[in-house]
Amino acid sequence: MIQLESIGAAAKRAASALANASTARKDAALLSIADALEAHAADILSANREDVEAARASGMSPSMLDRLSLSEARIGGMAAGVREVAALADPVGRVLSGSTLSCGLEMEKITVPLGVIGIIFEARPNVTSDAAALCLKSGNACILRGGKEAIRSNTAIANVMRAALGAAGLDENCICLIEDTDRETATAMMRLNRYIDCLIPRGGAGLIRSVVENATVPVIETGVGNCHAYVEKTADIAMAAEIVFNAKTSRPSVCNALETLLVDEAIAETALPAIAARLKEKNVELRGCPRTCAILPDAVPACENDYEIEFLDYILAVKVVSGLDEAIEHIRRYSSHHSECIVTRDLAAARRFAREVDSAAVYVNASTRFTDGGVFGLGAEIGISTQKLHARGPMGLEALVSYKYVLYGDGQVR
Amino acid sequence: MIQLESIGAAAKRAASALANASTARKDAALLSIADALEAHAADILSANREDVEAARASGMSPSMLDRLSLSEARIGGMAAGVREVAALADPVGRVLSGSTLSCGLEMEKITVPLGVIGIIFEARPNVTSDAAALCLKSGNACILRGGKEAIRSNTAIANVMRAALGAAGLDENCICLIEDTDRETATAMMRLNRYIDCLIPRGGAGLIRSVVENATVPVIETGVGNCHAYVEKTADIAMAAEIVFNAKTSRPSVCNALETLLVDEAIAETALPAIAARLKEKNVELRGCPRTCAILPDAVPACENDYEIEFLDYILAVKVVSGLDEAIEHIRRYSSHHSECIVTRDLAAARRFAREVDSAAVYVNASTRFTDGGVFGLGAEIGISTQKLHARGPMGLEALVSYKYVLYGDGQVR
């Protein structure tokens, strides 16, 4: 805890200076970080090998081991990511609006960094450099707390970045890593209001829930995607099959992948077999309501929980609904408000779905897989917000700034 | 608790419909609420008299009794406030940006209501109609929870507003009041994530702290103002005296009032007596550092706590500082980041203060009393945010909306 307190204080001090660093200086530091990551790849890989060996010995699953493992190429990718962030426009110091008040005060509303951003993440060490680069570019110090499986890798990466910051003339405490990976330290970090301005958890539903439950620092919830596709009765069935196939199978482990399919009863008899045939190419397991199971003999009966969770796998929950009302009501009840889509040829249905479905991204006749900071034109992305305060959907650099009002006068009183 | 759960569910349902209500319908409902408040003034006043008598019997202070008391004129003011909100532009449904993505998807970023807003407030019954009107105009349902001293008044006001909503064809659960005023219910409300999208506490520092400490629902902190004025060494001393006098004494009980004066040592000998003479007109008590007390024989010695708190009274903490660095450092350490000002003739000092002081409103040569939604051109105000996430400084209707992305395609997959 003493470590945490002193890290918090150091990050806060670094943030004050960084908030007023020029774009040129921040960009130079980012480029020097990218170079240093490549130059010290051997040290990082050696630390990573220890993490991977320990994880394998403790029985980590192959897909998790893959997320944890670095390689020369992956470190090259991390460095390239940092260089991309350097090339983005600086979000700090933009004048959002301005006016002269009736008393003669000249007012400007100007973007400023948030201050110190806490990032709590799980086993992917590349988050260390991705998140730190986005924070640095937006003038924020960051305090990173990764999972214990990756602690040697994260420490090596953070040390390389901190040394590069120092060499570039910035305070190395602009990037801080908490090396204590016990749960108590994470909980204490979530309550460090004196030093941390905003907390962004990056990981699975369990991590997000724990942060929301325990944090007193303001949180931006990210990344839980229970996404729906609704095939309306006028839908082009071939288009529906392509969209569902893409949304479910192009990358099932990500948050914008499809988890539940809703089909209008008026076309279920033809649409469901066509969609199921396409999904069979990837052996997708279908968990259906009784009407779905009556139409599709291969489907297994769904339970309530199947509509509530993210499978993040080749599994899809399916339900036959009576129409648009029931589809919207189902989404309202079960969705994590990330991304949903309707397939339809009916203008009124499309407009009503777009208006009434309350999710970060609502698609008409397109796959939910497009919800992404890069695709949406935001540059790199620090996460996808599923809450409505501050930022919603993919969050780029703009989500990492606040604003202040600056007013110049010549003695005005009220 | 059962009451709270059912209120939450009812408000959430009402919010879904209200989110898509037309501006015309919302405005008609607001005008009908304003008329109903005036038409039922006698009922509201009768309930208020009971609150005031009970509060007087329990020994409430005269200034608190004044905040609690309604009159025909004050109810007229509440109705006028509701009509002003009706006249503001609708913040919902604005297209913030839009583009056609390279794959042909047409994307729009559109403002939407937050959903259900929880407001926790203290003894002022007029907050009931002010807050409800702002929420309604921005398409949000609200759940109000006022102090127990005002419960009869709040219930009467809420009943009048709910009946008017019904008569105007909107769900009366767009405005909900929690009649349980015990602490457990308030705490449970702060953790009602399933139904409440955002919590705005309006009240003193104790209330705000309790909400930040206990809430799992996202919170917007408001209204704590430990505001500073720094009289720099090149300041026009007469201007400094006027600004300090205005900021401290024009309305000491509000959050944009001045609480601490910092004076550069180079001009302390002349500036402090001039400022003190002006403040003496209102018998302001000065609590000073040792150097202040040496210059001003009437000042009493300040303790650490005097720099930390809001007096909200005719009391001012005073400190002599060695220059801009120490002034900025003092503000960084003690400020609640609401409003600060510098009095100076030096361009570099003004620019550095404006850049480095990290508060919602930073003034050069003007009183901190200008920090106000009306003055800043935002129309009515639901509070003044002292946090950096989502909204900062005075919050108008724009602070009560989020946004979503709507994307139209013709079969795009990724």
Side-chain angles (χ1 to χ4, degrees):
Chain A
M1 299 307 158
I2 289 167
Q3 187 210 9
L4 196 59
E5 185 78 17
S6 69
I7 287 176
K12 195 82 182 173
R13 269 195 309 276
S16 287
L18 181 59
N20 292 294
S22 69
T23 305
R25 173 159 292 219
K26 293 187 289 188
D27 289 348
L30 285 166
L31 297 177
S32 114
I33 285 173
D35 292 345
L37 287 170
E38 290 175 332
H40 295 87
D43 301 341
I44 296 171
L45 287 174
S46 149
N48 183 249
R49 261 191 305 277
E50 290 182 50
D51 280 335
V52 170
E53 276 159 30
R56 187 178 287 120
S58 76
M60 185 182 271
S61 72
S63 73
M64 287 294 282
L65 276 176
D66 179 59
R67 292 182 153 211
L68 176 61
S69 300
L70 294 177
S71 63
E72 194 90 38
R74 284 189 177 180
I75 290 175
M78 288 162 60
V82 173
R83 290 189 186 103
E84 277 168 31
V85 171
L88 294 173
D90 192 329
V92 175
R94 285 176 52 217
V95 178
L96 298 175
S97 61
S99 59
T100 302
L101 305 184
S102 61
C103 60
L105 272 176
E106 291 170 11
M107 176 171 85
E108 287 189 338
K109 184 178 179 182
I110 303 174
T111 57
V112 297
L114 290 172
V116 177
I117 297 178
I119 315 267
I120 301 188
F121 57 107
E122 296 180 325
R124 293 171 61 175
N126 59 316
V127 173
T128 310
S129 64
D130 287 359
L134 286 163
C135 290
L136 190 69
K137 179 78 189 205
S138 52
N140 295 289
C142 64
I143 300 180
L144 306 163
R145 195 276 188 185
K148 78 169 185 303
E149 304 79 7
I151 185 62
R152 299 175 192 85
S153 315
N154 292 338
T155 304
I157 294 167
N159 285 343
V160 167
M161 292 193 293
R162 286 166 59 89
L165 276 177
L170 287 177
D171 187 338
E172 60 183 23
N173 291 315
C174 292
I175 300 174
C176 295
L177 177 78
I178 296 180
E179 296 184 31
D180 260 347
T181 59
D182 58 299
R183 185 177 291 249
E184 292 67 38
T185 305
T187 304
M189 177 181 172
M190 298 175 202
R191 308 180 73 89
L192 212 60
N193 295 52
R194 205 167 144 204
Y195 301 121
I196 302 183
D197 295 279
C198 165
L199 208 56
I200 304 178
R202 288 186 53 163
L207 172 68
I208 311 289
R209 211 162 32 234
S210 158
V211 172
V212 169
E213 186 58 33
N214 291 303
T216 52
V217 174
V219 173
I220 302 180
E221 289 184 59
T222 67
V224 176
N226 184 7
C227 302
H228 296 74
Y230 168 51
V231 180
E232 196 267 343
K233 66 175 186 282
T234 66
D236 174 329
I237 291 176
M239 182 194 287
E242 284 313 303
I243 287 175
V244 170
F245 178 77
N246 174 266
K248 179 71 258 182
T249 70
S250 60
R251 205 169 160 203
S253 66
V254 293
C255 59
N256 58 20
L258 186 66
E259 303 293 3
T260 298
L261 168 66
L262 305 170
V263 179
D264 191 295
E265 60 184 6
I267 56 161
E269 301 262 1
T270 49
L272 276 176
I275 294 168
R278 190 81 169 92
L279 292 171
K280 206 172 170 78
E281 294 167 31
K282 296 273 187 179
N283 289 315
V284 175
E285 176 185 330
L286 302 179
R287 301 195 184 166
C289 66
R291 297 171 76 182
T292 300
C293 293
I295 297 169
L296 299 176
D298 286 352
V300 301
C303 62
E304 175 79 5
N305 187 50
D306 289 324
Y307 296 111
E308 288 169 349
I309 62 166
E310 284 183 286
F311 298 111
L312 300 173
D313 203 346
Y314 290 92
I315 306 172
L316 182 67
V318 187
K319 190 175 186 193
V320 175
V321 295
S322 58
L324 189 53
D325 284 335
E326 190 182 346
I328 291 174
E329 188 52 40
H330 181 98
I331 291 169
R332 183 169 297 150
R333 177 152 172 206
Y334 294 101
S335 173
S336 64
H337 308 295
H338 187 299
S339 301
E340 332 288 347
C341 94
I342 184 173
V343 186
T344 185
R345 282 188 278 218
D346 183 73
L347 176 61
R351 280 171 52 84
R352 219 189 117 199
F353 190 88
R355 205 166 49 227
E356 296 190 19
V357 169
D358 183 28
S359 296
V362 183
Y363 294 86
V364 175
N365 295 330
S367 168
T368 54
R369 289 276 290 110
F370 288 99
T371 306
D372 175 89
V375 173
F376 280 17
L378 305 178
E381 161 193 300
I382 196 142
I384 296 181
S385 163
T386 53
Q387 69 179 39
K388 296 172 98 173
L389 273 195
H390 188 69
R392 199 174 195 207
M395 296 188 292
L397 288 171
E398 301 290 320
L400 300 180
V401 297
S402 180
Y403 53 84
K404 70 178 171 189
Y405 293 94
V406 172
L407 301 99
Y408 275 77
D410 27 46
Q412 279 82 352
V413 297
R414 189 183 174 200
Chain B
M1 300 307 161
I2 290 167
Q3 187 210 9
L4 194 60
E5 186 78 15
S6 69
I7 288 176
K12 195 81 180 174
R13 270 195 307 276
S16 288
L18 180 60
N20 293 294
S22 68
T23 305
R25 173 158 291 218
K26 293 187 288 188
D27 289 348
L30 286 166
L31 296 177
S32 114
I33 285 173
D35 293 344
L37 287 171
E38 290 175 331
H40 294 87
D43 301 341
I44 296 170
L45 287 174
S46 147
N48 183 248
R49 262 191 305 275
E50 290 182 51
D51 279 336
V52 170
E53 275 159 31
R56 187 177 290 122
S58 76
M60 183 182 272
S61 72
S63 73
M64 288 294 283
L65 276 176
D66 179 60
R67 292 181 152 212
L68 176 60
S69 301
L70 294 177
S71 62
E72 194 89 37
R74 283 189 178 180
I75 291 177
M78 289 162 59
V82 174
R83 291 190 185 103
E84 276 168 31
V85 171
L88 294 173
D90 193 331
V92 175
R94 285 176 52 217
V95 178
L96 298 175
S97 62
S99 59
T100 302
L101 305 184
S102 62
C103 60
L105 272 177
E106 291 170 8
M107 176 171 85
E108 287 188 340
K109 183 179 179 182
I110 304 173
T111 57
V112 297
L114 291 172
V116 177
I117 297 178
I119 314 268
I120 301 189
F121 56 107
E122 296 182 324
R124 292 171 60 176
N126 60 315
V127 173
T128 311
S129 64
D130 287 359
L134 286 164
C135 290
L136 191 69
K137 179 78 189 207
S138 52
N140 296 289
C142 64
I143 300 181
L144 306 164
R145 196 277 191 186
K148 79 167 184 305
E149 303 79 7
I151 185 63
R152 299 174 191 87
S153 315
N154 292 339
T155 305
I157 295 166
N159 285 343
V160 167
M161 291 192 295
R162 286 166 58 90
L165 277 176
L170 287 177
D171 187 337
E172 60 182 22
N173 291 315
C174 291
I175 300 175
C176 294
L177 177 78
I178 295 179
E179 296 183 30
D180 260 349
T181 58
D182 58 299
R183 185 177 291 250
E184 292 67 37
T185 306
T187 304
M189 177 181 172
M190 298 176 202
R191 307 179 74 88
L192 211 61
N193 295 53
R194 209 169 140 202
Y195 300 120
I196 301 183
D197 296 279
C198 164
L199 207 55
I200 304 178
R202 287 186 52 163
L207 172 69
I208 311 290
R209 208 158 38 232
S210 159
V211 172
V212 168
E213 186 59 32
N214 292 301
T216 52
V217 174
V219 172
I220 302 181
E221 288 184 58
T222 67
V224 176
N226 185 7
C227 303
H228 296 73
Y230 168 51
V231 179
E232 197 265 343
K233 66 175 186 281
T234 66
D236 174 328
I237 291 177
M239 182 193 287
E242 284 314 302
I243 287 174
V244 171
F245 178 76
N246 175 265
K248 180 68 257 183
T249 70
S250 60
R251 205 167 159 204
S253 65
V254 294
C255 60
N256 58 21
L258 185 67
E259 303 293 3
T260 297
L261 168 66
L262 305 170
V263 179
D264 192 293
E265 60 185 7
I267 56 161
E269 301 260 3
T270 48
L272 275 177
I275 295 168
R278 191 81 170 90
L279 292 172
K280 205 175 170 80
E281 295 168 29
K282 296 272 188 182
N283 289 316
V284 175
E285 177 184 330
L286 301 179
R287 301 194 185 168
C289 66
R291 295 172 76 183
T292 301
C293 293
I295 297 170
L296 299 176
D298 286 352
V300 300
C303 63
E304 175 80 4
N305 187 50
D306 290 322
Y307 296 111
E308 287 169 351
I309 63 165
E310 285 182 287
F311 298 112
L312 300 173
D313 203 347
Y314 291 92
I315 305 172
L316 183 66
V318 187
K319 191 176 185 191
V320 175
V321 296
S322 59
L324 189 53
D325 284 334
E326 190 182 345
I328 291 174
E329 188 51 40
H330 181 99
I331 291 169
R332 184 169 296 150
R333 178 152 171 205
Y334 293 102
S335 174
S336 63
H337 308 294
H338 187 297
S339 301
E340 332 289 347
C341 93
I342 184 173
V343 186
T344 185
R345 281 188 279 216
D346 183 74
L347 176 62
R351 279 170 54 83
R352 221 189 117 200
F353 189 88
R355 202 166 52 229
E356 295 190 19
V357 168
D358 183 26
S359 296
V362 184
Y363 294 86
V364 176
N365 295 331
S367 169
T368 55
R369 290 277 291 109
F370 287 100
T371 305
D372 173 272
V375 173
F376 280 16
L378 305 178
E381 160 193 302
I382 197 142
I384 296 181
S385 163
T386 53
Q387 69 180 38
K388 294 172 101 173
L389 273 195
H390 188 69
R392 196 175 197 206
M395 296 189 291
L397 289 170
E398 300 291 321
L400 300 180
V401 298
S402 179
Y403 53 83
K404 70 178 170 190
Y405 294 93
V406 172
L407 301 100
Y408 275 78
D410 27 46
Q412 278 83 352
V413 296
R414 189 181 174 203

